[in-house]
Amino acid sequence: MFSVCAIFYGDYLALAEKLLTSLKIMAHVQDVRLGLNAVSSQVRDYVNTWALQQMSAYPVYIYEDEHSNNLGKYPLMRQMFKDKKLATKIMWFDDDSFLDEVSIAWWDTALMLGQQHTQVGALHSIAQKGKQYEGITQQSWFTGKPVNVHHRYKFATGGWWIADTAFLTKWDYPFTAIHHNGGDSILGELIRQQGGSLGEFSKGVQCHCEGCLKNKTKLNSVVRINVGGRKGRRGLGTLVEHYPWEDGNVNSPINYQTFDLKITRYESRNKEKI
């Protein structure tokens, strides 16, 4: 079973509509968890209306800062994962990803691949940043597999992925050291160090970043990821990118993990706020 999760940011109603309307056919879903980072009233109203309409099929939980601040991707994701018991698999969407050509068969394949691998998605690689490698060697999950200044991470891009809940829970992912950038590549390294497996969903995903679209003549996928590419990045993603342990310091302040969380729950026909 899946816990389907997504985070929305800002005043981008068209993106919210594109993603949520694409979830019109779903299978193997336990619940849906939606995070809101500094969204407009129009986006918030749309997400809540969608949740109200869907709750007879499965519970929908909505998470945001009590003061509507932008918490960054990973602090909010962390709280979404810690609330209630997750399904055995997590399916993650950024708000610039969506489904098309949806079928039950696609969900069947997604679940099968999720059962075969620690994480499934569109696989990429990226050079490590600064002194990240020094920080990695100090983590409890580091097993001695070589990592140095020339290291490249292999990972599933963060716009959409499926991951094993038990594995993420065991290692308390996303780590408190991750704020907004680099969470996907660090997860790839965690999986490598722990002997897990990354699976490419080659016939079910199309990443729209510039490198992935180069020389592509036919797009016949079901998940569209990173629509708009890097030029389409918004919010914190347009500022200076700070990656975990980039300065080699594993004790950097994590004040961004402290906030007042508001949760709205849509379960059966009862709406509950806490």
Side-chain angles (χ1 to χ4, degrees), residues 2-266:
F2 292 113
S3 285
V4 175
C5 304
I7 285 180
F8 301 94
Y9 160 73
D11 187 21
Y12 297 95
L13 180 59
L15 291 179
E17 291 177 337
K18 190 74 171 178
L19 172 52
L20 291 181
T21 57
S22 78
L23 299 179
K24 55 191 174 185
I25 297 178
M26 291 198 288
H28 314 298
V29 173
Q30 169 188 289
D31 56 45
V32 177
R33 305 181 186 211
L34 306 175
L36 306 180
N37 262 336
V39 299
S40 65
S41 58
Q42 290 83 1
V43 171
R44 182 178 293 104
D45 289 347
Y46 179 81
V47 172
N48 278 277
T49 298
W50 183 88
L52 184 63
Q53 294 170 344
Q54 298 298 320
M55 68 182 185
S56 61
Y58 33 72
V60 182
Y61 307 123
I62 300 175
Y63 309 81
E64 62 180 317
D65 175 62
E66 184 71 45
H67 309 289
S68 302
N69 294 321
N70 186 353
L71 303 175
K73 178 177 178 177
Y74 292 99
L76 187 52
M77 179 194 291
R78 182 175 170 84
Q79 294 306 314
M80 292 165 65
F81 289 178
K82 287 184 174 298
D83 178 50
K84 286 185 169 289
K85 185 176 180 180
L86 290 156
T88 56
K89 304 297 174 184
I90 297 168
M91 181 181 291
W92 180 268
F93 292 84
D94 281 357
D95 65 357
D96 57 353
S97 300
F98 63 92
L99 298 172
D100 63 13
E101 303 175 26
V102 180
S103 69
I104 297 299
W106 180 87
W107 286 90
D108 291 343
T109 301
L111 182 60
M112 178 189 68
L113 288 171
Q115 292 169 338
Q116 293 173 352
H117 299 282
T118 311
Q119 188 184 26
V120 175
L123 302 190
H124 290 59
S125 69
I126 190 174
Q128 74 94 39
K129 309 290 184 179
K131 296 182 179 180
Q132 276 188 303
Y133 65 97
E134 293 183 359
I136 288 170
T137 62
Q138 299 179 59
Q139 302 307 305
S140 62
W141 44 266
F142 178 69
T143 58
K145 293 180 180 177
V147 55
N148 53 48
V149 68
H150 303 296
H151 185 64
R152 292 189 68 86
Y153 304 115
K154 182 179 180 181
F155 65 100
T157 188
W160 177 88
W161 45 260
I162 296 167
D164 182 70
T165 299
F167 181 87
L168 300 190
T169 301
K170 177 180 179 179
W171 297 108
D172 196 27
Y173 180 89
F175 313 128
T176 56
I178 310 173
H179 184 200
H180 193 73
N181 298 112
D184 50 7
S185 54
I186 286 296
L187 177 54
E189 183 61 22
L190 167 64
I191 291 170
R192 183 180 81 100
Q193 289 292 332
Q194 288 297 314
S197 63
L198 287 172
E200 177 83 67
F201 198 172
S202 58
K203 295 184 179 180
V205 174
Q206 175 61 59
C207 179
H208 285 249
C209 69
E210 290 77 1
C212 291
L213 287 180
K214 187 177 181 181
N215 300 323
K216 289 282 186 180
T217 58
K218 183 179 181 181
L219 301 177
N220 56 358
S221 59
V222 176
V223 187
R224 310 254 175 210
I225 305 176
N226 301 328
V227 176
R230 291 187 65 84
K231 294 180 181 179
R233 302 185 79 176
R234 299 155 289 124
L236 295 178
T238 65
L239 304 176
V240 176
E241 296 181 328
H242 178 70
Y243 287 76
W245 313 307
E246 188 174 9
D247 59 359
N249 182 10
V250 296
N251 296 309
S252 296
I254 55 171
N255 55 300
Y256 48 79
Q257 295 286 354
T258 302
F259 51 87
D260 297 316
L261 184 68
K262 180 174 72 173
I263 307 174
T264 304
R265 305 186 189 280
Y266 292 89

